[in-house]
Each structure stands twice: as C-alpha cells, then as structure tokens.
Amino acid sequence: MTEAEDRKPQSDEARSAFRPPGGVTMSAPTTQAESESSVTSEFEIPAGLAARRPVVSEAETTSEFALPEGYEAPPAPAAETEGSAFSTPSTHSAWTPAAFTPASGFPVVSLTKDVPWQDRMRAMLRMPVAERPAPETAQRQDDETGPAVPRVLDLTLRIGELLLAGGEGAEDVEAAMFAVCRSYGLDRCEPNVTFTLLSISHQPSLVEDPVTASRTVRRRGTDYTRLAAVFHLVDDLSDPETSLSMEEAYRRLAEIRRNRHPYPGWVLTTASGLLAGAASLLVGGDVVVFFAAMVGAMLGDRLAWLCAGRGLPEFYQFAVAAMPPAAIGIALTLTHVEVAASAVITGGLFALLPGRALVAGVQDGLTGFYITASARLLEVMYFFVSIVAGVLLVLYFGVQLGAELNPDAALGTGDQPVVQIFASMLLSLAFAVLLQQERHTVWAVTVNGGIAWCVFGAMHYAGNISPVASTAAAAGLVGLFGQLMSRYRFVSALPYTTAAIGPLLPGSATYFGLLAIAQSEVDKGLVSLSTAVALAMAIAIGVNLGGEISRLFLRMPGGANAAGRRAAKRTRGF
C-alpha cells in the first residue's frame, strides 16, 4: 500500500469527525488536498475575526516563561563588584513611613562629658542598640592592640559582682558594667543582671560569633565603703583624661576586696544598740526604755553572730535576733516596772527591719527589672516572716504568763519634738555605722535623717495628714537629697538615702500587729500589718521618686529638658 493510500482512511475519518449536522453544507472546497488542510481545532478563530497575533504552529511552540510580545525588558544591570554580605542591594530603595517620624524629627543624642557617667550610661542603655553612639576614646594601653576581650569582660563582671553584692540597684549595676566595657573600646556589649547572676555578651562584628561570660554572686554583704571605692574606680575608667591600664584596674580591684571594714565588730554591736535605743525614744520612751532597748538589741546582735558562725541561714538569724528585745519588754511588764514595754520591743524591731533590701527591690521593679525585684521582695518577705516568728513566739509565752500589753496604746504622739528630732538623728547615725559607710558621709546622712523626720512630723502631727502620705513625702525628700549628693561626689546614692530612711521605718505598726495576733485579735493584727506594708512601700516609692525627679529637672544627656529623656520602656501596658 502506498503512502497516499495509507493516509486516505485517516482523512476520511477526520472529515467525518468534524462533519456538520444534516442539512448544513460546507462552503470550503472538496478537493482531497484542501480537505486535509481545512481540518481545524474547535478553538480556531472564526472567519472575519481579526487575530491579534499570528497563530503559532506546533513547530514554533516556545517556553511558558517567554516574554509576551510587545513587552520591553528593562536593560540588564551592570555587573556589581564583590562587596560585603551586608551591603545594600542595588535594587533596594529605602522608604520610611511618614507616620512613624515625629513632626520635629528625631532628637539628637548628646552625651556631654561633664554629665556623670551614671546618667550617660543609663541613657545609652535605655536607647535602642542601633542608635547608640560609638565608644569614646578607649583607655591607653602599652600594646596598641589593647587588652583581650575575655579580660575586659572578666574585669566587668568582677566590678558588677561587688556592686550587686553591696545592694546596688540592677539598673545602676548594668550602667557600671556598660561603662567599663566602653572605656576599653568594646562596642555592642549587652550586660544582664539578675538577683544572683551577672552576664555580659560582646559581639566583635556582625559576622563574628559573640563572646559571652557570666558570674554568680554567692555572698552578699553590706559595706558602703567598698561600694564607694568601686564607684570611684568606674569613674576613673570612664574618664578619658585618666589613663588606667588593665593591670592597674585589677590591682585597685584587688585592694578594694582586701580592704577591711572601717569599723570593728564591737562598734557595730554598739551601733545596733544605739539604733534600738534611739528608736525607743522616737516612739515615746524614756531613759530606762532607752537602755533596755539598747541591751536587748546588743544581745540579739551577738546571738545572730553566733548563729552565723554556726552556719545557720539568715532566716533563723533574724528570728533569734528579734527574741531578746521582746523578752526584755515582757520581763519589765511582768516585774511591774513603770516603763513603756511596747517602746522597748518596737525599738528592737527597728534594728532588724530590712529597709535597705526593700528600697532596692521596689527600685528594681519601678525601673523594669522585674525578675530581680521579685527575688529581692521575696527575700524581704522571708526576713519579715522570720522577725514575726521570733517576736510572736516571745509574745505568746508572755501573754500566757500574764503580761499585760495593750495593742491599742499610742506611741510617738509628737508631744516632744526636740527629743524626737535628736532621736531620729541618732538613729540615722547608728544606721550609717551599721552599713559600714565612709566617715565623711556619716554626718551628711545624719542631718538628712533629721530633716526627713521634721518633714514627717510637720505633715503628720501638725498637719494631720495621713502617715502614708507623710512618709512618702519625707522619703521623696531623702531620695532627692541622696541623688544630689551622689552627683556632687560621683558615687552611689545609697549611702545618703538608706540610713536616712531609718526613722521612717514602720516599727510600731509592725509590733502592734504582732501583739494583736498574739492576743487572738487577728482582724486588728492584719489591719496593723497592712498599715506597716503600706508605710514600707511608701518609703521605697518615695525614695525612688525623689531620685527620678532630680534626674528629670537636672541636666541630662539626650536633650535640654525632659522631652529628650527616654524612658526605660514605653509599652503603655500592652
């Protein structure tokens, strides 16, 4: 069979497949060659319809990704030279929405050199990482390459450990660590402070792995002389005109650690007794009450030292230290001595209330360090519970033995203002010695404590203002004075504020709450203890607010007024 004959049946079949219905005739020619070419698809363009483009035959089939006809492709970009992986692509066009740009523009960060390093470092910590200025001139070194990064981080952690162990706030500890790193030219450093853990991370560049180091605070002790020495060291490191090598910084840090406390043990015990005696005078006691409270506090202090030498935790040390003043007050009542036994017990409580830890805990919470604040406030709660347990145990046995103590008695009525002012100043003096402060700061904090009590007495006793509001106002004045003195001395504000709030501590409210609970008057006891908690919070918030007010109106980096000062967070609650 020939090739033409082989194709004929196929064309006949194709012709029959596309034959129109009966009665309709085809207008195309009927020759065999023309009939084969007229066989088309159902998607053929009808006659009379102008086609936009010629029909593509099977031989001209192209890719699905071919450019459509009539589209002009943009010219090919020029070949880019090899650069950094972080360079801006040539096809990228930066665009910033106008809605996120203030009408006045972004404020220029101005970190002037005459501002204390605490304010400069705190301002940089509160601003985004991308907006932080480059480090200032680093400390000059014998080697042009400078110190190794691990050594700088180790020095930073050791300085932060001393500050955190001394009771400094978490934000101030981070500011000091940040200042040390920047003084040696380390950029992109991020310190992190919690209650017992310090860590810092440094990223040399955007393409290198970060270097991270950490240190754990195992032991905490109160020594404000050592705290002031550490602040002077950080101040010298932050000063570009003072050249401190790494070896010199380590040597000074070792001297700070080796330095003995400025006051011997017997002076601390005597100061504890004077604090309790002054507190008893503050709440209306006489000379007999003064010496009774003094003896009870000194005996409790020695028992606490004995427990510490045996390795007992601080919870039991506080409980044991609270028992002797309460026992002496009960003994005076049982022997029918005409003294105010409640003033004796209240004076002993003043020497034990953890005002320093309370202020530090509330300050951390107000500045956004909630983990550290929770841990410190939990520590305060444990100390308070231990004091309650020790006093309640003695009061319970005293009530069972027939001691007549009145939970509704009024202490410190304000009818002896001169004696109370003297007692408040003596209390602040003794408290400053217990905190191991430098001798030249003791007199300033003594005057500050007396002024705080004058403000409280004028508002509460003379002006009949609530004790919570009066306490908050007096504590705010203490915080303001402490911040001013810290700027003048370039040291921490704690030595000028912690001891000055001693006269404001809620010793009497705590005692009467415990006494009411011991006499089965739980409702009255809880009300009195709630008042004590409110007074304690008023002290802590007032001290912090006074410091913030001083930073608000004094010269600050980042702007000439408060508008240029950035807060730690601007979440608005969400």
Side-chain angles (χ1 to χ4, degrees), residues 213-300:
S214 61
R215 193 173 183 88
T216 302
V217 179
R218 300 290 183 183
R219 186 177 181 181
R220 294 186 300 274
T222 304
D223 190 343
Y224 283 178
T225 300
R226 180 180 297 176
L227 190 69
V230 176
F231 263 79
H232 284 303
L233 175 59
V234 177
D235 183 62
D236 292 340
L237 288 174
S238 303
D239 189 1
E241 298 179 359
T242 304
S243 181
L244 277 182
S245 64
M246 180 66 64
E247 288 71 19
E248 179 67 17
Y250 266 108
R251 186 190 63 80
R252 288 182 56 176
L253 189 62
E255 290 180 356
I256 293 173
R257 287 181 173 273
R258 286 195 303 264
N259 280 347
R260 299 178 60 88
H261 298 306
Y263 307 104
W266 66 270
V267 174
L268 297 180
T269 302
T270 305
S272 178
L274 287 176
L275 192 154
S280 64
L281 290 179
L282 198 63
V283 295
D286 53 9
V287 179
V288 178
V289 171
F290 174 86
F291 284 104
M294 182 176 177
V295 172
M298 293 173 64
L299 183 58

Coordinates of all heavy atoms in Angstrom, one line a residue, residues 213-300:
A213 N 30.2 35.9 78.8 CA 30.8 35.5 80.1 C 29.8 35.8 81.2 O 28.9 36.7 81.0 CB 32.1 36.2 80.4
S214 N 29.8 35.0 82.3 CA 28.9 35.1 83.4 C 29.6 34.9 84.7 O 30.6 34.3 84.7 CB 27.7 34.2 83.2 OG 28.2 32.8 83.2
R215 N 28.9 35.4 85.7 CA 29.5 35.2 87.1 C 28.3 35.2 88.1 O 27.3 35.9 87.9 CB 30.4 36.3 87.4 CG 31.3 36.1 88.7 CD 32.3 37.2 88.8 NE 33.2 37.0 90.0 CZ 34.3 36.3 89.9 NH1 34.7 35.8 88.8 NH2 35.0 36.1 91.0
T216 N 28.4 34.3 89.1 CA 27.4 34.1 90.1 C 27.8 34.8 91.4 O 28.9 34.7 91.8 CB 27.1 32.6 90.3 OG1 26.8 32.0 89.1 CG2 26.0 32.4 91.3
V217 N 26.8 35.5 92.0 CA 27.0 36.2 93.2 C 26.6 35.2 94.3 O 25.5 34.9 94.6 CB 26.2 37.5 93.3 CG1 26.4 38.2 94.7 CG2 26.5 38.4 92.2
R218 N 27.6 34.7 95.0 CA 27.4 33.7 96.0 C 27.1 34.3 97.4 O 26.4 33.7 98.2 CB 28.6 32.7 96.1 CG 28.9 32.0 94.9 CD 27.9 31.0 94.6 NE 28.2 30.2 93.4 CZ 27.4 29.2 92.9 NH1 26.2 29.0 93.4 NH2 27.7 28.6 91.8
R219 N 27.7 35.4 97.7 CA 27.6 36.0 99.0 C 27.4 37.5 98.9 O 28.0 38.2 98.1 CB 28.9 35.7 99.8 CG 28.9 36.1 101.2 CD 30.2 35.7 101.9 NE 30.2 36.1 103.3 CZ 31.3 35.9 104.1 NH1 32.4 35.3 103.6 NH2 31.2 36.2 105.4
R220 N 26.5 38.0 99.7 CA 26.2 39.4 99.8 C 26.5 40.0 101.1 O 26.2 39.3 102.2 CB 24.7 39.7 99.4 CG 24.3 39.3 98.0 CD 22.9 39.7 97.6 NE 22.0 39.0 98.5 CZ 21.5 37.8 98.3 NH1 21.9 37.1 97.2 NH2 20.6 37.2 99.1
G221 N 27.0 41.2 101.2 CA 27.3 41.8 102.4 C 27.2 43.3 102.3 O 27.4 43.9 101.2
T222 N 26.9 44.0 103.4 CA 26.7 45.4 103.4 C 28.0 46.1 103.8 O 28.4 46.0 104.9 CB 25.6 45.8 104.4 OG1 24.4 45.1 104.0 CG2 25.3 47.3 104.3
D223 N 28.6 46.8 102.8 CA 29.8 47.6 103.1 C 29.7 48.8 102.1 O 30.2 48.6 100.9 CB 31.0 46.8 102.9 CG 32.3 47.5 103.4 OD1 32.2 48.7 103.6 OD2 33.3 46.8 103.7
Y224 N 29.2 49.9 102.5 CA 29.1 51.0 101.6 C 30.4 51.7 101.3 O 30.6 52.4 100.4 CB 28.1 52.0 102.1 CG 26.7 51.6 101.9 CD1 25.6 52.4 102.4 CD2 26.4 50.4 101.3 CE1 24.3 52.0 102.2 CE2 25.0 50.0 101.0 CZ 24.0 50.8 101.5 OH 22.7 50.4 101.3
T225 N 31.4 51.5 102.2 CA 32.8 52.0 101.9 C 33.4 51.3 100.7 O 33.9 51.9 99.8 CB 33.7 51.8 103.1 OG1 33.2 52.5 104.2 CG2 35.1 52.3 102.8
R226 N 33.2 50.0 100.6 CA 33.7 49.2 99.4 C 32.8 49.6 98.2 O 33.4 49.8 97.1 CB 33.5 47.7 99.7 CG 33.9 46.9 98.5 CD 33.8 45.4 98.9 NE 34.6 45.0 100.0 CZ 34.6 43.8 100.6 NH1 33.8 42.9 100.2 NH2 35.4 43.6 101.6
L227 N 31.6 49.9 98.4 CA 30.7 50.3 97.3 C 31.2 51.6 96.7 O 31.2 51.8 95.5 CB 29.3 50.4 97.7 CG 28.2 50.6 96.7 CD1 28.0 49.4 95.8 CD2 26.9 50.9 97.3
A228 N 31.5 52.6 97.6 CA 32.0 53.9 97.1 C 33.4 53.8 96.4 O 33.6 54.4 95.4 CB 32.1 54.8 98.3
A229 N 34.2 52.8 96.8 CA 35.5 52.6 96.2 C 35.3 52.1 94.8 O 36.0 52.5 93.8 CB 36.4 51.7 97.0
V230 N 34.4 51.2 94.6 CA 34.1 50.6 93.3 C 33.6 51.7 92.4 O 33.9 51.8 91.2 CB 33.1 49.5 93.4 CG1 32.7 49.0 92.0 CG2 33.7 48.3 94.2
F231 N 32.7 52.6 92.9 CA 32.2 53.7 92.0 C 33.3 54.6 91.6 O 33.4 55.1 90.5 CB 31.1 54.5 92.8 CG 29.7 54.0 92.5 CD1 29.2 52.9 93.0 CD2 28.9 54.8 91.6 CE1 27.9 52.5 92.7 CE2 27.7 54.4 91.3 CZ 27.2 53.2 91.8
H232 N 34.3 54.9 92.5 CA 35.4 55.7 92.1 C 36.3 55.1 91.0 O 36.8 55.7 90.1 CB 36.3 56.0 93.4 CG 35.7 57.0 94.3 ND1 35.4 58.3 93.9 CD2 35.4 57.0 95.6 CE1 34.8 59.0 94.9 NE2 34.8 58.2 96.0
L233 N 36.4 53.8 91.1 CA 37.2 53.0 90.1 C 36.5 53.1 88.7 O 37.1 53.4 87.7 CB 37.3 51.6 90.5 CG 38.0 50.6 89.4 CD1 39.3 51.1 89.1 CD2 38.0 49.2 90.0
V234 N 35.1 52.9 88.7 CA 34.4 53.1 87.4 C 34.5 54.5 86.9 O 34.6 54.7 85.7 CB 33.0 52.6 87.6 CG1 32.2 52.8 86.4 CG2 32.9 51.1 88.1
D235 N 34.4 55.5 87.8 CA 34.5 56.9 87.4 C 35.9 57.2 86.7 O 36.0 57.9 85.7 CB 34.3 57.8 88.6 CG 34.3 59.2 88.2 OD1 33.4 59.6 87.4 OD2 35.2 60.0 88.7
D236 N 37.0 56.6 87.3 CA 38.3 56.8 86.7 C 38.4 56.1 85.4 O 39.0 56.6 84.4 CB 39.4 56.3 87.7 CG 39.5 57.2 88.9 OD1 39.0 58.3 88.8 OD2 40.0 56.7 89.9
L237 N 37.8 54.9 85.2 CA 37.8 54.2 84.0 C 37.0 55.0 82.9 O 37.4 54.9 81.7 CB 37.3 52.8 84.1 CG 38.1 51.8 84.9 CD1 37.4 50.5 85.1 CD2 39.4 51.5 84.1
S238 N 35.9 55.6 83.3 CA 35.1 56.3 82.3 C 35.7 57.7 81.9 O 35.2 58.3 80.9 CB 33.7 56.5 82.9 OG 33.1 55.3 83.3
D239 N 36.6 58.2 82.7 CA 37.2 59.5 82.4 C 38.3 59.3 81.3 O 39.3 58.6 81.5 CB 37.8 60.1 83.7 CG 38.2 61.5 83.5 OD1 38.0 62.1 82.3 OD2 38.8 62.1 84.4
P240 N 38.1 59.9 80.1 CA 39.1 59.8 79.1 C 40.5 60.4 79.4 O 41.5 60.1 78.9 CB 38.5 60.4 77.9 CG 37.5 61.4 78.4 CD 37.0 60.8 79.7
E241 N 40.5 61.4 80.4 CA 41.7 62.0 80.8 C 42.5 61.2 81.7 O 43.7 61.5 82.0 CB 41.4 63.4 81.4 CG 40.7 64.3 80.4 CD 40.4 65.7 81.0 OE1 40.7 65.8 82.2 OE2 39.9 66.6 80.3
T242 N 41.9 60.2 82.4 CA 42.6 59.3 83.3 C 43.0 58.0 82.6 O 42.1 57.3 82.1 CB 41.7 59.0 84.5 OG1 41.3 60.2 85.1 CG2 42.5 58.1 85.5
S243 N 44.2 57.7 82.5 CA 44.7 56.6 81.8 C 44.9 55.4 82.8 O 45.8 55.5 83.6 CB 46.0 56.9 81.0 OG 46.4 55.7 80.3
L244 N 44.1 54.4 82.8 CA 44.2 53.2 83.6 C 44.4 52.0 82.8 O 43.5 51.7 81.9 CB 43.0 53.1 84.5 CG 42.9 53.9 85.8 CD1 41.6 53.5 86.5 CD2 44.1 53.6 86.7
S245 N 45.5 51.3 82.9 CA 45.7 50.1 82.2 C 44.9 49.0 82.9 O 44.4 49.1 84.0 CB 47.2 49.7 82.2 OG 47.7 49.5 83.5
M246 N 44.9 47.8 82.2 CA 44.1 46.7 82.7 C 44.8 46.2 84.0 O 44.1 45.8 85.0 CB 44.1 45.6 81.7 CG 43.4 44.3 82.1 SD 41.6 44.6 82.3 CE 41.1 45.0 80.7
E247 N 46.1 46.2 84.1 CA 46.8 45.7 85.3 C 46.5 46.6 86.5 O 46.3 46.2 87.6 CB 48.3 45.6 85.0 CG 48.7 44.5 84.1 CD 48.3 44.7 82.7 OE1 48.0 45.9 82.3 OE2 48.3 43.7 81.9
E248 N 46.5 48.0 86.2 CA 46.2 48.9 87.3 C 44.8 48.8 87.8 O 44.5 48.8 89.0 CB 46.4 50.3 86.7 CG 46.1 51.4 87.7 CD 47.1 51.4 88.9 OE1 48.2 50.8 88.8 OE2 46.8 52.0 89.9
A249 N 43.8 48.5 86.8 CA 42.4 48.3 87.3 C 42.3 47.1 88.1 O 41.6 47.1 89.1 CB 41.5 48.2 86.0
Y250 N 43.0 46.0 87.7 CA 42.9 44.7 88.5 C 43.6 45.0 89.9 O 43.1 44.4 90.9 CB 43.6 43.6 87.8 CG 42.7 42.8 86.9 CD1 42.7 42.8 85.6 CD2 41.8 41.9 87.5 CE1 41.9 42.0 84.8 CE2 41.0 41.1 86.8 CZ 41.0 41.2 85.4 OH 40.1 40.4 84.7
R251 N 44.6 45.7 89.9 CA 45.3 46.0 91.2 C 44.4 46.8 92.2 O 44.3 46.4 93.3 CB 46.6 46.8 91.0 CG 47.4 46.9 92.3 CD 48.6 47.9 92.0 NE 48.1 49.2 91.6 CZ 47.7 50.1 92.6 NH1 47.7 49.8 93.8 NH2 47.2 51.3 92.2
R252 N 43.7 47.8 91.7 CA 42.8 48.6 92.5 C 41.6 47.7 92.9 O 41.1 47.8 94.1 CB 42.3 49.8 91.8 CG 43.4 50.9 91.6 CD 42.9 52.1 90.9 NE 41.8 52.7 91.6 CZ 41.2 53.8 91.2 NH1 41.7 54.5 90.1 NH2 40.1 54.3 91.8
L253 N 41.1 46.9 92.0 CA 40.0 46.0 92.4 C 40.4 45.0 93.5 O 39.6 44.7 94.4 CB 39.5 45.2 91.2 CG 38.2 44.4 91.3 CD1 37.1 45.4 91.7 CD2 37.9 43.7 90.1
A254 N 41.6 44.5 93.4 CA 42.1 43.6 94.5 C 42.3 44.3 95.8 O 42.0 43.8 96.9 CB 43.4 43.0 94.1
E255 N 42.7 45.6 95.8 CA 42.8 46.3 97.0 C 41.4 46.6 97.6 O 41.2 46.6 98.9 CB 43.5 47.7 96.8 CG 45.0 47.5 96.5 CD 45.6 48.9 96.2 OE1 44.8 49.9 96.2 OE2 46.8 49.0 96.0
I256 N 40.4 46.8 96.8 CA 39.1 47.0 97.3 C 38.6 45.8 98.0 O 37.9 45.8 99.0 CB 38.1 47.4 96.1 CG1 38.5 48.8 95.6 CG2 36.7 47.5 96.6 CD1 37.8 49.3 94.4
R257 N 38.9 44.6 97.4 CA 38.4 43.4 98.0 C 39.1 43.1 99.3 O 38.5 42.5 100.3 CB 38.6 42.2 97.0 CG 37.7 42.2 95.9 CD 38.0 41.0 95.0 NE 37.0 40.8 93.9 CZ 35.8 40.2 94.1 NH1 35.6 39.6 95.2 NH2 35.0 40.1 93.1
R258 N 40.4 43.4 99.4 CA 41.2 43.1 100.6 C 41.0 44.1 101.8 O 41.3 43.8 102.9 CB 42.7 43.1 100.3 CG 43.1 41.9 99.5 CD 44.6 41.8 99.5 NE 45.3 42.9 99.0 CZ 45.7 43.1 97.7 NH1 45.5 42.1 96.9 NH2 46.3 44.2 97.3
N259 N 40.4 45.3 101.4 CA 40.2 46.3 102.5 C 39.3 45.8 103.6 O 38.3 45.2 103.4 CB 39.6 47.6 101.9 CG 40.7 48.4 101.2 OD1 41.9 48.2 101.3 ND2 40.3 49.4 100.4
R260 N 39.8 46.0 104.8 CA 39.0 45.7 106.0 C 37.8 46.7 106.2 O 37.9 47.8 105.7 CB 39.9 45.6 107.2 CG 41.0 44.6 107.2 CD 41.8 44.7 108.4 NE 41.1 44.4 109.6 CZ 40.9 43.1 110.1 NH1 41.4 42.1 109.4 NH2 40.2 42.9 111.1
H261 N 36.8 46.2 106.9 CA 35.7 47.1 107.2 C 36.2 48.3 108.0 O 37.1 48.2 108.8 CB 34.6 46.4 107.9 CG 34.0 45.3 107.2 ND1 33.5 45.4 105.9 CD2 33.9 43.9 107.5 CE1 33.1 44.3 105.4 NE2 33.3 43.4 106.4
P262 N 35.6 49.5 107.8 CA 36.1 50.7 108.5 C 35.8 50.6 110.0 O 36.4 51.4 110.8 CB 35.4 51.8 107.8 CG 34.2 51.2 107.3 CD 34.6 49.8 106.9
Y263 N 34.9 49.8 110.5 CA 34.5 49.8 111.9 C 34.7 48.4 112.4 O 34.3 47.4 111.8 CB 33.1 50.2 112.1 CG 32.8 51.6 111.5 CD1 32.0 51.7 110.3 CD2 33.2 52.8 112.1 CE1 31.8 52.9 109.7 CE2 32.9 54.0 111.5 CZ 32.2 54.0 110.3 OH 31.9 55.2 109.7
P264 N 35.2 48.2 113.6 CA 35.4 46.8 114.2 C 34.0 46.3 114.6 O 33.0 47.0 114.7 CB 36.3 47.1 115.4 CG 36.2 48.5 115.7 CD 35.9 49.2 114.4
G265 N 34.1 45.0 115.1 CA 32.8 44.3 115.5 C 32.1 45.0 116.7 O 30.9 45.0 116.7
W266 N 32.9 45.4 117.7 CA 32.3 45.9 118.9 C 31.6 47.3 118.6 O 30.6 47.6 119.2 CB 33.3 46.1 120.0 CG 34.4 47.1 119.7 CD1 35.6 46.9 119.1 CD2 34.4 48.5 120.0 NE1 36.3 48.1 119.0 CE2 35.6 49.1 119.6 CE3 33.4 49.3 120.6 CZ2 35.9 50.4 119.8 CZ3 33.7 50.7 120.8 CH2 34.9 51.2 120.4
V267 N 32.1 48.0 117.6 CA 31.5 49.3 117.2 C 30.1 49.0 116.5 O 29.1 49.7 116.8 CB 32.4 50.1 116.3 CG1 31.7 51.3 115.8 CG2 33.7 50.5 117.0
L268 N 30.1 47.9 115.7 CA 28.9 47.6 115.1 C 27.8 47.1 116.1 O 26.6 47.4 116.0 CB 29.1 46.5 114.1 CG 30.1 46.8 112.9 CD1 30.2 45.6 112.0 CD2 29.5 48.0 112.1
T269 N 28.2 46.3 117.1 CA 27.3 45.9 118.1 C 26.8 47.1 118.9 O 25.6 47.2 119.2 CB 28.0 44.9 119.1 OG1 28.5 43.8 118.3 CG2 27.0 44.4 120.1
T270 N 27.6 48.0 119.2 CA 27.2 49.2 120.0 C 26.3 50.1 119.1 O 25.3 50.6 119.6 CB 28.4 50.1 120.4 OG1 29.3 49.3 121.1 CG2 28.0 51.3 121.2
A271 N 26.6 50.2 117.8 CA 25.7 50.9 116.9 C 24.3 50.3 116.8 O 23.3 51.0 116.8 CB 26.3 51.0 115.5
S272 N 24.3 48.9 116.9 CA 23.0 48.3 116.9 C 22.2 48.6 118.1 O 20.9 48.8 118.0 CB 23.2 46.8 116.7 OG 21.9 46.1 116.8
G273 N 22.8 48.7 119.3 CA 22.1 49.0 120.5 C 21.7 50.5 120.5 O 20.6 50.8 120.9
L274 N 22.5 51.4 120.0 CA 22.1 52.8 119.9 C 21.0 53.0 118.9 O 20.1 53.8 119.2 CB 23.3 53.7 119.4 CG 24.5 53.9 120.4 CD1 25.6 54.6 119.8 CD2 23.9 54.6 121.7
L275 N 20.9 52.2 117.9 CA 19.8 52.3 116.9 C 18.5 51.9 117.6 O 17.5 52.6 117.5 CB 20.1 51.4 115.7 CG 19.2 51.6 114.5 CD1 19.9 51.2 113.2 CD2 17.9 50.8 114.6
A276 N 18.5 50.8 118.4 CA 17.3 50.4 119.1 C 16.9 51.4 120.1 O 15.7 51.7 120.3 CB 17.5 49.0 119.7
G277 N 17.9 51.9 120.9 CA 17.6 52.9 121.9 C 17.0 54.2 121.3 O 16.0 54.8 121.9
A278 N 17.6 54.7 120.2 CA 17.1 55.9 119.6 C 15.6 55.7 119.1 O 14.8 56.5 119.1 CB 18.0 56.3 118.5
A279 N 15.4 54.5 118.5 CA 14.0 54.2 118.0 C 13.0 54.1 119.2 O 11.9 54.6 119.0 CB 14.0 52.8 117.3
S280 N 13.4 53.6 120.4 CA 12.5 53.6 121.5 C 12.2 55.1 122.0 O 11.1 55.4 122.4 CB 13.1 52.8 122.7 OG 14.3 53.4 123.1
L281 N 13.2 56.0 121.9 CA 12.9 57.4 122.2 C 12.0 58.0 121.2 O 11.2 58.9 121.5 CB 14.3 58.2 122.3 CG 15.2 57.9 123.5 CD1 16.5 58.7 123.3 CD2 14.5 58.1 124.8
L282 N 12.2 57.6 120.0 CA 11.4 58.1 118.9 C 9.9 57.8 119.0 O 9.0 58.6 118.6 CB 11.9 57.6 117.5 CG 11.5 58.3 116.3 CD1 12.1 59.7 116.2 CD2 12.0 57.6 115.0
V283 N 9.6 56.7 119.7 CA 8.2 56.3 119.8 C 7.7 56.6 121.2 O 6.6 56.1 121.6 CB 8.0 54.8 119.5 CG1 8.3 54.5 118.1 CG2 8.9 53.9 120.4
G284 N 8.4 57.4 122.0 CA 7.9 57.9 123.3 C 8.5 57.3 124.5 O 7.9 57.4 125.6
G285 N 9.6 56.6 124.4 CA 10.2 56.0 125.6 C 11.0 57.0 126.4 O 11.2 58.2 126.0
D286 N 11.5 56.6 127.6 CA 12.3 57.4 128.5 C 13.7 56.8 128.5 O 14.1 56.0 127.7 CB 11.6 57.5 129.8 CG 11.3 56.2 130.4 OD1 11.8 55.2 129.9 OD2 10.6 56.1 131.5
V287 N 14.4 57.3 129.5 CA 15.8 56.9 129.6 C 15.9 55.4 130.0 O 16.8 54.6 129.4 CB 16.6 57.7 130.7 CG1 18.0 57.2 130.9 CG2 16.5 59.2 130.4
V288 N 15.1 54.9 130.8 CA 15.1 53.4 131.2 C 14.7 52.6 129.9 O 15.4 51.5 129.7 CB 14.1 53.2 132.3 CG1 14.1 51.7 132.7 CG2 14.5 54.0 133.6
V289 N 13.8 53.0 129.2 CA 13.4 52.3 128.0 C 14.6 52.4 127.0 O 14.9 51.4 126.3 CB 12.1 52.9 127.4 CG1 11.9 52.4 126.0 CG2 10.9 52.7 128.3
F290 N 15.3 53.5 126.9 CA 16.4 53.6 126.0 C 17.5 52.5 126.3 O 17.9 51.8 125.4 CB 17.0 55.0 126.1 CG 18.3 55.2 125.3 CD1 18.2 55.6 124.0 CD2 19.5 55.0 125.9 CE1 19.4 55.7 123.3 CE2 20.7 55.2 125.2 CZ 20.6 55.6 123.9
F291 N 17.9 52.4 127.6 CA 18.9 51.4 127.9 C 18.4 50.0 127.8 O 19.2 49.1 127.4 CB 19.4 51.7 129.3 CG 20.4 52.9 129.3 CD1 19.9 54.1 129.8 CD2 21.7 52.8 128.9 CE1 20.8 55.2 129.9 CE2 22.5 53.9 128.9 CZ 22.1 55.1 129.4
A292 N 17.1 49.8 128.1 CA 16.6 48.4 128.0 C 16.6 48.0 126.5 O 16.9 46.8 126.2 CB 15.2 48.4 128.6
A293 N 16.1 48.9 125.6 CA 16.1 48.5 124.2 C 17.5 48.4 123.7 O 17.8 47.5 122.9 CB 15.4 49.6 123.4
M294 N 18.4 49.1 124.2 CA 19.8 49.0 123.8 C 20.4 47.7 124.2 O 21.1 47.0 123.4 CB 20.6 50.2 124.4 CG 22.1 50.3 124.0 SD 22.9 51.7 124.6 CE 24.6 51.4 124.1
V295 N 20.2 47.3 125.4 CA 20.7 46.0 125.9 C 20.1 44.8 125.1 O 20.8 43.9 124.7 CB 20.5 45.8 127.4 CG1 20.9 44.4 127.8 CG2 21.3 46.9 128.1
G296 N 18.8 44.9 124.8 CA 18.1 43.8 124.1 C 18.7 43.7 122.7 O 18.9 42.6 122.1
A297 N 18.9 44.8 122.0 CA 19.4 44.8 120.6 C 20.8 44.3 120.6 O 21.2 43.5 119.7 CB 19.3 46.2 120.0
M298 N 21.6 44.7 121.5 CA 23.0 44.2 121.5 C 23.1 42.7 121.8 O 23.9 42.0 121.2 CB 23.8 45.0 122.6 CG 24.0 46.5 122.2 SD 24.8 47.4 123.6 CE 26.4 46.7 123.6
L299 N 22.3 42.2 122.7 CA 22.2 40.8 122.9 C 21.7 40.0 121.7 O 22.3 39.0 121.4 CB 21.3 40.5 124.1 CG 21.2 39.1 124.6 CD1 22.6 38.5 125.0 CD2 20.2 38.9 125.8
G300 N 20.7 40.6 121.0 CA 20.2 39.9 119.8 C 21.3 39.9 118.7 O 21.4 38.9 118.0

